[in-house]
């Protein structure tokens, strides 16, 4: 059985939601995307994140999508489901539903309305109460998306108060100092050690974050093998190779991290790589211009050349 | 049949969502609250607004609540349902569902992500596409809640582009000039006349808004009869009486409009008046202190005395 | 000599900045406005607040204005000067300059960039370091203007760490519970007692705040005598009179508190009352329409009638 | 004489403000920094930008700093001075002062308070009125810093209405489509051609922006020669070299673009390169940890190795 726990590491890929050209949910592509992801070597999947297209799904579509992903994964890797919700009743309902379907755990970010340290701590007391003592969960720290700034001290307090919080998803920026401090707290024995996966800037600081003690990454990228290979190289002690691989993909990763248009970029590449049938972003959403496509072609060609030089292409 | 149209006027009361002491949805109180509201003389009801406790309901509870309200109203007045949603698929699904149950129309505010005039107009093109040509809808302009500033020019463009938008819910502040400009546009024949109901500051500018050409109010208050009587006095030409009634309730209305704690105040009074069984606000939410209750007792006693002086109590 | 201290009470009026019809700073009206304010019975003045037109002044004009106010006041009441600044060097420079000219103290709100409890506390450590051990200062808690939420616990920590912070300017909303908690802390001896003056909603909760232990108000209103008389009635134990006076002015006070247009309303009335020569708001700023003026005339006539009924006009 | 005009191109470096170890303004380092910048081949300088440490200077220090920079530059390149201010009186005063000292033009971003298209256009009407017909100015589009979203249509309207606006500083993200559209408008003759310099993400999209028709960059980076060389390679038609150079510096550029800590990174490198005497960031500001320094050493060593491979080091 795949339950999430504190020893999680490697790459939990945040997947896209595939749609057909007409905007309908594409369940066949969902299967292909799962296969594509697992073949790249990721150690987990994350679906229904707070960015991306989850909010564009109806409640019914969400359920269908989660079910299909879990069926296709079939227990091979843990699947985390985003459960941040406007209200605790919905959070509880969604959590129960996805855990019953076989999710490994849920991920929760603070509601955009909380501001002070006391409000944040009270919010996660309610989260613990809502999720109960069985469901493992991931604390997501993503101030750009939520508007909520959690200080290191607050994060440590939440972890202390939350026996079932097994992972910290680190997306604050600048966040390297926070990451170091949270890792140091468990190294010094002040706190049980939780898994730390990072998504800062969509993985744009991955090698530095591994050096600081991150256990891997949880984010999306059209070339998940980059993150897999960077983590693997770092894990086997080949720090230079980790940076070499990262640098080879960085120009494209940077381009894919543009707000808003980034999702269209990612889906375009995933479609070109055969992971999904259509690059369609459900309306309202961006589409790529001829100049955007020219940018991408140039970046991909340069990336392939660089990987070949480094003998890094798979 | 009760379909919303451009001639709507009077008071569309935004109702609370009643819970039992233990936080469960209270459907019996839903009936009593509907009766209480209709007895006060309101001409319509609005449920699942963007403020209030709708986000605390599960999808299932929302459906139960809407169904119960519609069943109890039984066509006596039109019921508008809030349909602002993070995605258009959900908006469409919710709209279809509530219209099938007998709602008179839906209300939509712009998503918090749109900023420029062009983005706002494109958003409401999608709204029109989503709602279709049958569903009458209300354009809600509530920048404090949404963060979206719609200029008078943008509002007029939306109304022009949206044949099924039959009502403008005016909650901008300062908004009297915008209200005057929108009314002037239809008076000058530049635009078909739509209904304008106001909720600026929770009705704190109601008499001035009637003077500017508003057709009534759409907001919540523990004494809906205040809004009914102000509108009635104004409609029969007794402007002084409209202001007298308003002023008598203003100290309490102001107190009830405090952000956050205001909802607990409203429910406390509604429970005291017998409209709902319990004043419970579902967690997380504010509760009233002994000092808050002392404030309320003083304000209510003073209000009753003032109404008696004016011979205005019902 | 007029130095601000913890025993401050009554009304510290936040004054407007008078301009001539052509937008030039009006120093003659500055004199008249000071006289008008002192004749109304206020116990202090506050200038260069974070709202209002201070940011529209050049550095040179600011200095001229402060100098003129201080010269005209001539030590009769303490004058507080707003010193919130983007940087500590400017804050220090401005503070030194106005204290040398004879100000009684300065007022500081947190910079809009701080978010977490730790960041807020660190910010006020820098404030204490910048202002030094001689300058009495006012802690301004105005989240609507600054975007910074300070919990009760944080406010108490700042007061504890800041020996020269002698006053808490309370403008959070809803803020009655915070006000009660801060007053209770000194009543229980956990903290030295500081003065608490309120400005919540521009004084729209003044009587309730006095009941909670506020020492008075620091805000602006075209009828400062309302706040003076409410505080005086409350101080002599006549709580009913305090509420009666407040209620008589509330309809107009509410109208004057509309964001943006409120300043034009205030200046219009002050000009009509002879306190300043011109109602000009320096560009860019709102001006009043014929309908706004009609609203004001009606509200003022009703207010005078009500005051006469209550035998409350001065 | 160096007046800014529509033909400006190349790199306008946004400089840091040098402080001594004790936090005092370092005028000697100001000279060295100017020399260092000009030796790198930049075609202009920009000082007192809205990011950076300008707000930490007193008014007196600002004037000293501008004077020193202008004296050292001595007309060799144009110097643009940031003039965004809370009020138009200050903007006018600052502009007059720096133009008298020899600045080539000023740069203005919209005030954070404007939202709708009409408000933005009205704001820049006031800017034109304030700056007058002699002062060339740069329109800065930096929504992350200002919170103001200007659509392509609004930018084109401002340019049309502003005969003295000679440059568009492009910092929206995602902004490549906007850049293309603005360039297309002048290519099609709908608009006079203005200079477009970019600063999107601190230059993180420079080569793609040149492809879209940008005339160069206006931003800060500890290795200004990167931007100079990228622009030069692109100008001589060597697109591959432009991308090669950019990619070699990208890992460090990315690291330096971390919010908040980025400035400490830049100053650390500039001090190490001898451009300024001390890496001090004036309080309150970040400092670098041992782990940050280890990151930097690794990145710089890798960058030097890569440049050597490419035979690109100067």
């Amino acid at each position: 059985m795949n339950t999430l726990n504190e020893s999680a590491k490697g790459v939990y890929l945040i997947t896209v939601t595939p749609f057909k050209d007409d905007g309908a949910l594409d369940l066949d592509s969902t299967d292909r995307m799962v296969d594509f992801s697992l073949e790249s070597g990721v150690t987990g999947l994350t679906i229904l994140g707070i960015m991306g297209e989850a909010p564009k799904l109806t409640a019914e579509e969400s359920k269908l999508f989660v079910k299909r992903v879990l069926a296709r994964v079939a227990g091979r890797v843990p699947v985390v489901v985003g459960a941040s919700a406007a209200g605790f009743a919905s959070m509880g309902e969604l959590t129960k539903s996805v855990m019953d379907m076989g999710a490994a755990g849920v991920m929760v970010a603070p509601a955009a309305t909380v501001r002070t340290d006391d409000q944040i701590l009270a919010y996660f007391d309610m989260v613990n109460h809502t999720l109960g003592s069985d469901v493992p969960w991931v604390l997501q720290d993503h101030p750009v998306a939520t508007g909520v700034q959690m200080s290191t001290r607050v994060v440590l307090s939440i972890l202390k108060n939350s026996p079932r919080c097994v992972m910290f998803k680190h997306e604050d920026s600048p966040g390297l100092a926070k990451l170091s401090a949270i890792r140091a707290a468990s190294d010094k024995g002040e706190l049980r050690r939780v898994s730390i996966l990072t998504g800062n800037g969509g993985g744009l600081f991955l090698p530095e974050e591994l050096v600081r003690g991150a256990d891997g990454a949880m984010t999306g990228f059209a070339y998940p093998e980059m993150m897999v290979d960077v983590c693997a190289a770092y894990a086997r002690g080949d720090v230079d190779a980790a940076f070499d691989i990262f640098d080879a993909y960085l120009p494209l990763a940077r381009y894919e991290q543009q707000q808003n248009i980034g999702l269209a970029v990612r889906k375009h590449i995933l479609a070109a790589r055969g992971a999904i049938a259509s690059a369609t972003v459900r309306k309202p959403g961006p589409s790529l211009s001829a100049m955007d496509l020219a940018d991408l072609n140039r970046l991909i060609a340069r990336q392939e050349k660089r990987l070949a030089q480094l003998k890094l292409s798979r």
Side-chain angles (χ1 to χ4, degrees), chain A residues 192-212:
Chain A
R192 85 200 136 88
R193 191 187 196 284
V194 300
S195 171
I196 303 180
L197 300 189
T198 74
N200 190 351
L204 291 185
F205 292 86
L206 179 55
E208 283 87 359
E209 289 163 336
L210 293 173
V211 173
R212 304 283 177 128

Side-chain angles (χ1 to χ4, degrees), chain A residues 18 30 44 61 76 110 118 124 131-132 139 141 147 150 155 218 220 223 230-231 241 260 274:
Chain A
T30 300
E61 289 173 328
R76 288 177 286 169
D118 287 348
F124 284 101
L131 301 183
L139 172 60
D141 182 20
M150 301 197 282
V155 172
M218 182 190 280
Y223 294 85
V230 167
C231 288
N260 186 11

Side-chain angles (χ1 to χ4, degrees), chain A residues 276-303:
Chain A
I276 55 179
S278 164
T280 302
V281 175
R282 196 175 253 194
K283 286 186 186 173
S287 59
L288 300 180
S289 68
M291 300 195 81
D292 296 330
L293 295 176
D295 284 342
L296 281 181
N297 290 340
R298 187 190 310 108
L299 286 166
I300 291 170
R302 290 179 56 83
Q303 177 175 292

Side-chain angles (χ1 to χ4, degrees), chain A residues 112-176:
Chain A
T113 47
V114 299
R115 279 288 169 277
T116 69
D117 287 11
D118 287 348
Q119 288 169 345
I120 298 169
L121 293 173
Y123 187 85
F124 284 101
D125 285 346
M126 286 292 300
V127 169
N128 282 319
H129 180 79
T130 301
L131 301 183
S133 58
D134 286 335
V135 179
W137 63 278
V138 180
L139 172 60
Q140 183 176 21
D141 182 20
H142 193 0
V144 166
T146 61
V148 181
Q149 301 279 350
M150 301 197 282
S151 67
T152 300
R153 186 159 32 158
V154 162
V155 172
L156 293 175
S157 292
I158 296 169
L159 295 175
K160 214 163 275 181
N161 297 344
S162 307
R164 297 304 286 135
C165 178
V166 299
M167 184 186 288
F168 177 64
K169 175 159 172 24
H170 167 269
E171 301 186 73
D172 196 1
S173 171
L176 295 173

Side-chain angles (χ1 to χ4, degrees), chain A residues 29-45:
Chain A
S29 280
T30 300
D31 288 345
R32 291 162 65 185
M33 185 190 64
V34 166
D35 296 345
F36 170 87
S37 303
L38 295 194
E39 284 157 19
S40 76
V42 302
T43 49
L45 294 182

Side-chain angles (χ1 to χ4, degrees), chain A residues 1-4 11-13 34 37-39 41-46 69-70 72-80 102-104:
Chain A
M1 194 38 221
N2 254 307
T3 302
L4 199 68
V11 177
Y12 278 60
L13 185 69
V34 166
S37 303
L38 295 194
E39 284 157 19
V42 302
T43 49
L45 294 182
T46 300
V69 169
L70 288 167
R72 188 69 172 196
V73 168
R76 288 177 286 169
V77 299
V79 178
V80 175

